[in-house]
Amino acid sequence: MRVGMNPQKKENKIDLKSNHRIIIVAFIPKLEGYYADIFDILKLSVNSAFTTKNNDCEITLVNNGSCKIVTDYLNQLFEDGIINCVVHHKENIGKIDALIGAARMAREEFITISDIDILFVNGWQENIEKLFNSIPNVGSVSPISVRTLHSYATFSTMQKILLKKVNFKLETIEENFNNYNRFLESINWKKEQNSKLKWPVIEYNNIKAIMGSSHQILTIKRDLLFTTIPKEPSLTLVGYNSEYEYVDLPIDLSGKMRLATYNNYAFHMGNKVESWMIELQKVNLSQPKQINKSIISSECRKRNQKYFGYRLKKKIVKIIFKLFYKF
């Protein structure tokens, strides 16, 4: 039998204290072979995220069947207040299912989904939120600037350009040259030799962004998780087009733009710690901790994008886009 009344029923609604959340999935089953240095990579990633975020942003770590040492570390991060949410899975349920499940559990308007091997640098959060707040119909923003992904899952972005909703031009961004080569090297792609190669630049009211992005780290609005992202589980450990189906394609289907920050504010590390990563984190730590709350939009519109004709329209728009912008 029940004695008395649950005191929570007398309380008012919960005040949401953050409006941005970082979600990182950790699968480190052992500390040898391919995974020998991943634990140190994870530590760098989490520490850089905590160091560079402001107090309007929280961190969720998802333990996707990691070994005991990693599990204990994640619990300690929670106890120490470095992260405010840890989700434990006894076994690996697959990267995408672990990621999307944790993201749908979040209540913040902005959600940054990140791989385990991302090094955050000062300014990433502010520059991402600036693009969402300054340019209409932004679906995702990555803090990693990539020069050559202007045609990957950017059908809806091309539409906005062709309809003159935003300006588009090709321009040289020499200050991105070294950081971009570092990204190319991290994924074993050939480095570029010419710093004057053109970048695909979106501009709206004097605010600039790069067209397209990779998916190692992306910020989206929460409403996307409940509109164009599939509701059924992926049931895929990793790869096999799962990131395209559950992250990249849904952004395009939403009718919003896929962008990256004009300059680089994060790095892909891979599975081996290098000295430059440690030096960048020292720079992060040397800067004052961001304490101001973000000035962000509270608008969260529901989208019910129709899928019919998507592939045909995508093909037509790409052809027209390439006729206008040859690069």
Side-chain angles (χ1 to χ4, degrees):
M1 85 183 214
R2 178 186 295 166
V3 179
M5 180 181 290
N6 187 335
Q8 292 184 87
K9 293 184 177 180
K10 297 180 180 180
E11 300 294 328
N12 294 324
K13 282 192 171 183
I14 296 170
D15 291 327
L16 190 59
K17 296 178 181 178
S18 57
N19 210 27
H20 196 140
R21 180 166 294 275
I22 305 164
I23 299 177
I24 302 171
V25 176
F27 171 63
I28 308 177
K30 54 187 178 181
L31 302 181
E32 58 188 46
Y34 176 86
Y35 302 98
D37 285 347
I38 290 288
F39 190 21
D40 290 329
I41 289 287
L42 171 63
K43 291 177 181 179
L44 264 174
S45 181
V46 174
N47 288 332
S48 69
F50 178 74
T51 301
T52 57
K53 75 178 185 65
N54 68 24
N55 65 333
D56 199 41
C57 181
E58 298 289 358
I59 303 172
T60 293
L61 260 293
V62 183
N63 175 15
N64 198 25
S66 295
C67 62
K68 186 177 186 305
I69 292 175
V70 176
T71 298
D72 290 344
Y73 169 70
L74 299 183
N75 286 332
Q76 192 61 54
L77 288 174
F78 178 77
E79 292 296 326
D80 293 343
I82 304 298
I83 63 176
N84 86 330
C85 180
V86 58
V87 179
H88 289 293
H89 296 286
K90 189 70 174 177
E91 297 178 351
N92 183 356
I93 68 167
K95 176 183 175 182
I96 283 296
D97 287 345
L99 186 66
I100 298 301
R104 284 183 171 142
M105 182 177 68
R107 300 174 296 172
E108 288 80 5
E109 181 179 7
F110 293 122
I111 298 176
T112 294
I113 52 179
S114 174
D115 283 356
I116 193 175
D117 57 354
I118 297 299
L119 182 67
F120 297 76
V121 297
N122 285 311
W124 72 269
Q125 184 185 347
E126 292 73 22
N127 281 276
I128 282 175
E129 291 175 0
K130 180 180 179 181
L131 294 183
F132 275 105
N133 296 332
S134 303
I135 302 176
N137 293 309
V138 173
S140 70
V141 180
S142 173
I144 296 180
S145 309
V146 179
R147 194 183 66 81
T148 55
L149 288 177
H150 56 277
S151 62
Y152 178 72
T154 53
F155 156 67
S156 58
T157 311
M158 291 176 182
Q159 277 192 315
K160 300 293 187 299
I161 294 169
L162 292 172
L163 293 173
K164 302 299 182 183
K165 300 293 185 182
V166 292
N167 295 322
F168 177 82
K169 61 180 178 179
L170 299 170
E171 66 178 69
T172 296
I173 312 175
E174 292 193 57
E175 63 267 31
N176 283 357
F177 180 68
N178 290 332
N179 289 337
Y180 182 45
N181 269 339
R182 183 163 278 169
F183 169 76
L184 294 175
E185 190 175 30
S186 76
I187 56 175
N188 297 318
W189 287 7
K190 185 178 180 180
K191 293 168 67 173
E192 294 188 342
Q193 304 300 317
N194 185 0
S195 64
K196 298 188 181 299
L197 292 174
K198 304 288 187 179
W199 289 67
V201 176
I202 297 286
E203 186 171 2
Y204 183 85
N205 284 348
N206 297 318
I207 303 296
K208 293 182 177 182
I210 303 302
M211 177 183 176
S213 75
S214 59
H215 52 218
Q216 287 94 350
I217 174 172
L218 283 172
T219 300
I220 62 174
K221 280 197 171 184
R222 183 179 181 273
D223 61 322
L224 194 67
L225 295 162
F226 302 94
T227 51
T228 53
I229 290 179
K231 293 179 173 60
E232 66 274 9
S234 169
L235 301 177
T236 304
L237 285 177
V238 69
Y240 288 96
N241 226 28
S242 59
E243 287 172 309
Y244 177 78
E245 295 291 341
Y246 282 77
V247 179
D248 301 324
L249 180 60
I251 294 167
D252 218 5
L253 288 171
S254 73
K256 298 181 181 182
M257 291 190 293
R258 181 189 187 94
L259 305 176
T261 52
Y262 184 75
N263 297 123
N264 195 78
Y265 290 97
F267 291 89
H268 178 250
M269 293 185 283
N271 68 333
K272 185 75 175 176
V273 176
E274 298 178 47
S275 59
W276 65 264
M277 304 170 188
I278 297 169
E279 292 304 313
L280 278 176
Q281 176 59 2
K282 287 180 180 178
V283 173
N284 285 337
L285 290 166
S286 71
Q287 301 297 318
K289 174 72 175 173
Q290 297 292 323
I291 58 173
N292 294 326
K293 292 181 74 67
S294 309
I295 302 173
I296 52 183
S297 167
S298 61
E299 182 181 8
C300 292
R301 298 173 184 161
K302 293 183 179 179
R303 298 294 184 189
N304 187 21
Q305 179 73 20
K306 300 294 184 182
Y307 293 0
F308 179 74
Y310 167 77
R311 288 186 175 85
L312 177 61
K313 289 191 291 183
K314 175 181 176 181
K315 185 178 293 185
I316 293 171
V317 167
K318 278 193 172 183
I319 292 171
I320 297 172
F321 184 84
K322 288 180 179 178
L323 288 174
F324 277 91
Y325 305 102
K326 300 181 185 300
F327 68 103

